[in-house]
Amino acid sequence: MTEEDPKPQSDEARSAFRQPSGVAASIDGESSTTSEFEIPQGLAVPRHTGTESETTSEFALPDGLEAPAAVPADAEGSAFTMPSTHSAWSPAAFTPAGGFPAVNLADVPWQDRMRAMLRMPVAERPAPEPSQKHDDETGPAVPRVLDLTLRIGELLLAGGEGAEDVEAAMFAVCRSYGLDRCEPNVTFTLLSISHQPSLVEDPVTASRTVRRRGTDYTRLAAVFHLVDDLSDPGTHISLEEAYRRLAEIRRNRHPYPTWVLTTASGLLAGGASLLVGGDVIVFFAALFGAMLGDRLAWLCAGRGLPEFYQFAVAAMPPAAIGIALTLTHVDVKASAVITGGLFALLPGRALVAGVQDGLTGFYITAAARLLEVMYFFVSIVAGVLVVLYFGVQLGAELNPDAALGTGDEPFVQIFAAMLLSLAFAILLQQERSTVLAVTLNGGVAWCVYGAMHYAGDISPVASTAAAAGLVGLFGQLMSRYRFASALPYTTAAIGPLLPGSATYFGLLAIAQGEVDAGLLSLSKAVALAMAIAIGVNLGGEISRLFLKVPGAASAAGRRAAKRTRGF
């Protein structure tokens, strides 16, 4: 076979990559692999020339070190060959010239700093500064820091603070002692915190159960002051000093004695009776009934009865006095007496905290708080219904359609609203320095409600929500100004807005057999209560829209849940 004869074609020589017969071969006579990423012929591509006019960066080669020689354009490439249009020594394409922007968390209150960092992923949180709050060079013992954190969180949660603020305080304590990668977790009765030093070390987890709850806003303010001092980089507090201050906070007695609290309970009921149109006789009747109910509740508490029965017993004396005035044909508004007694028992604090936890994403804690509110409400209903049922059977003429608080005497009602807020603040064991501010806040809230509802003829739900929003805005501003909790400035101020009259008329209608009308009035009371809670929370959120929030200009700002479309 001569050289001109074609070679025999075997099966091995035939393949999918063999050029079919009749197709012209490549121009250079050589086989070359092409792809869709190949640069078309005739298109000029700029090359890296390495001139001095180009921008340099920290990745530039030192003097005396040469870059590897470029691969010739006609050389055959492979999967590991750098493309001819790419230069490994060009400036970084995705890093800004000035670096990534840092999140500024130094010029804002510690509450906002901790909330901002808690809503960041763990890998994006800024590292804590070197801790100086210990005597040993190795740093404080991690279990002791976690124990201190849990004890502080327990006092805050037992005092009625929201779950988000409790988590922020716990995170601030850990950060102040140099513990990074901490994750606090708060539910209604359980606190836990986990610290993992690094990805290769075992985490340390501790938990604590909240078994007793007590309302003492003076103690709450002292705990916030301690956390503020720990979060201040200029204040050096050792671990032993923090334990000593916490022990002093726990040992401190309440700022008001028992007789003052009982008198405040009576003044609250008397102010509420004036608020809904009562006179002097009604004021003293409501005052005496509330004080008697408070003493009976203290007696039940001393015997170890649950709070459900304490509320039921406390609701009976005001209702019984109102029934007695009606049976003796005294020309007074007995409904105002009973309504005033209900104002002193409605769980406004727990309701606001429960709705706030739900709006901030703590659904388990919110469900538990709202369930507690429901139990308290049912106990009040049971206590009042028992008295009203016997009163109706004895012939007491109570009108469920009677009008209370028509707004004909605005100055008297403003005074009554301020008196109610003052008594409520004392019952909450607030600091004396905050009582005047919350009293004025309650008077302003009632002015807004009266102007919208009575003068403007706006629905009571909308008027209540607007007044409560103003209360929440003022409370948030004061808490940021004093680096304290917002509860002492908001809880007592919403006292005049509580739905006492709607609750009473609903119970009276049910006691008289008008179940439909009673349920309608009770549903109105629930709507007013939700308007109060949502308004207070919305006022606090509105304040954050106009005030400085850490990291708002960066991607690590105050993030919220993005489930706005149901998925």
Side-chain angles (χ1 to χ4, degrees):
M1 184 177 291
T2 62
E3 293 181 357
E4 289 78 6
D5 295 335
K7 295 181 180 180
Q9 302 294 327
S10 62
D11 293 338
E12 291 79 2
R14 304 173 185 272
S15 68
F17 302 100
R18 183 173 177 273
Q19 188 171 355
S21 58
V23 178
S26 59
I27 301 174
D28 55 2
E30 301 259 345
S31 62
S32 60
T33 304
T34 62
S35 70
E36 63 271 20
F37 300 104
E38 184 183 17
I39 299 177
Q41 298 180 1
L43 179 61
V45 179
R47 301 282 181 165
H48 180 69
T49 58
T51 59
E52 295 181 357
S53 61
E54 294 182 342
T55 304
T56 60
S57 68
E58 63 272 21
F59 301 102
L61 290 176
D63 296 337
L65 180 62
E66 297 181 356
V71 181
D74 55 352
E76 184 176 359
S78 68
F80 303 99
T81 304
M82 192 71 70
S84 59
T85 58
H86 176 77
S87 175
W89 315 108
S90 60
F94 301 102
T95 303
F100 290 102
V103 183
N104 184 15
L105 298 174
D107 300 330
V108 292
W110 66 265
Q111 296 99 319
D112 290 335
R113 296 202 310 266
M114 297 305 113
R115 287 194 193 101
M117 282 189 284
L118 277 175
R119 298 186 181 190
M120 298 179 190
V122 178
E124 297 181 11
R125 294 173 184 170
E129 297 294 331
S131 176
Q132 302 295 331
K133 299 181 174 65
H134 53 82
D135 300 327
D136 191 1
E137 295 181 357
T138 60
V142 173
R144 296 202 67 197
V145 174
L146 298 185
D147 178 71
L148 175 67
T149 302
L150 291 174
R151 291 177 182 272
I152 290 177
E154 179 190 10
L155 287 179
L156 293 177
L157 188 61
E161 191 61 71
E164 184 181 29
D165 292 327
V166 175
E167 280 197 359
M170 294 172 63
F171 190 69
V173 175
C174 289
R175 297 272 303 186
S176 64
Y177 287 102
L179 299 188
D180 196 9
R181 306 177 66 87
C182 289
E183 287 295 338
N185 188 18
V186 176
T187 58
F188 185 59
T189 58
L190 182 65
L191 299 169
S192 63
I193 188 166
S194 177
H195 167 64
Q196 187 174 14
S198 65
L199 294 177
V200 297
E201 296 183 64
D202 296 332
V204 180
T205 303
S207 62
R208 194 174 182 88
T209 303
V210 179
R211 302 189 183 276
R212 295 188 61 185
R213 300 177 182 274
T215 304
D216 189 344
Y217 282 1
T218 300
R219 179 179 296 174
L220 190 70
V223 176
F224 262 81
H225 184 64
L226 173 60
V227 178
D228 183 34
D229 290 343
L230 291 175
S231 304
D232 187 3
T235 304
H236 303 297
I237 300 177
S238 64
L239 192 61
E240 299 300 330
E241 176 68 15
Y243 265 107
R244 185 190 63 80
R245 289 183 55 177
L246 186 62
E248 290 180 355
I249 293 173
R250 297 179 68 95
R251 286 196 303 265
N252 282 344
R253 298 179 61 87
H254 299 307
Y256 306 104
T258 304
W259 67 269
V260 173
L261 297 180
T262 302
T263 305
S265 177
L267 290 176
L268 193 155
S273 64
L274 293 179
L275 194 66
V276 295
D279 53 12
V280 177
I281 298 179
V282 170
F283 173 84
F284 284 103
L287 183 146
F288 178 73
M291 292 177 63
L292 180 59
D294 181 77
R295 287 292 86 197
L296 290 177
W298 276 96
L299 180 62
C300 294
R303 298 295 181 180
L305 289 179
E307 286 185 308
F308 181 89
Y309 303 104
Q310 297 176 27
F311 273 77
V313 170
M316 289 182 179
I321 292 177
I323 294 296
L325 291 175
T326 303
L327 292 175
T328 55
H329 302 287
V330 179
D331 189 14
V332 295
K333 290 183 177 180
S335 301
V337 177
I338 303 175
T339 302
L342 291 178
F343 266 89
L345 298 175
L346 292 178
R349 173 183 57 87
L351 176 66
V352 172
V355 174
Q356 180 180 0
D357 288 340
L359 294 176
T360 52
F362 295 86
Y363 300 113
I364 298 178
T365 307
R369 289 185 189 272
L370 294 178
L371 185 62
E372 181 187 38
V373 171
M374 186 191 73
Y375 271 101
F376 289 161
F377 191 78
V378 170
S379 66
I380 297 172
V381 168
V384 176
L385 272 181
V386 169
V387 178
L388 290 180
Y389 176 78
F390 284 105
V392 171
Q393 296 300 319
L394 292 175
E397 297 179 358
L398 298 174
N399 184 11
D401 297 327
L404 293 178
T406 57
D408 296 334
E409 299 178 349
F411 293 104
V412 174
Q413 290 187 333
I414 292 175
F415 170 77
M418 296 177 66
L419 178 62
L420 193 154
S421 299
L422 173 64
F424 205 172
I426 295 175
L427 285 176
L428 294 174
Q429 305 277 2
Q430 292 191 196
E431 293 180 296
R432 292 178 173 85
S433 59
T434 64
V435 171
L436 178 60
V438 74
T439 302
L440 296 176
N441 196 16
V444 172
W446 182 257
C447 290
V448 173
Y449 172 80
M452 295 182 63
H453 179 55
Y454 297 124
D457 199 18
I458 300 176
S459 68
V461 176
S463 303
T464 301
L470 185 64
V471 169
L473 178 62
F474 174 78
Q476 190 62 230
L477 293 176
M478 288 300 297
S479 68
R480 294 174 65 92
Y481 174 73
R482 302 190 64 174
F483 296 90
S485 172
L487 288 180
Y489 302 99
T490 58
T491 306
I494 65 173
L497 305 175
L498 293 176
S501 59
T503 303
Y504 161 70
F505 285 128
L507 298 179
L508 179 59
I510 293 176
Q512 293 181 346
E514 301 177 4
V515 180
D516 293 339
L519 293 178
L520 181 62
S521 184
L522 290 179
S523 64
K524 178 183 176 182
V526 173
L528 291 173
M530 294 298 294
I532 293 173
I534 295 176
V536 170
N537 182 265
L538 183 61
E541 295 298 327
I542 289 176
S543 68
R544 294 192 180 104
L545 297 178
F546 301 99
L547 297 176
K548 185 177 181 180
V549 177
S554 65
R558 186 176 184 269
R559 297 170 177 171
K562 297 182 179 180
R563 294 168 295 184
T564 56
R565 299 178 182 85
F567 55 85

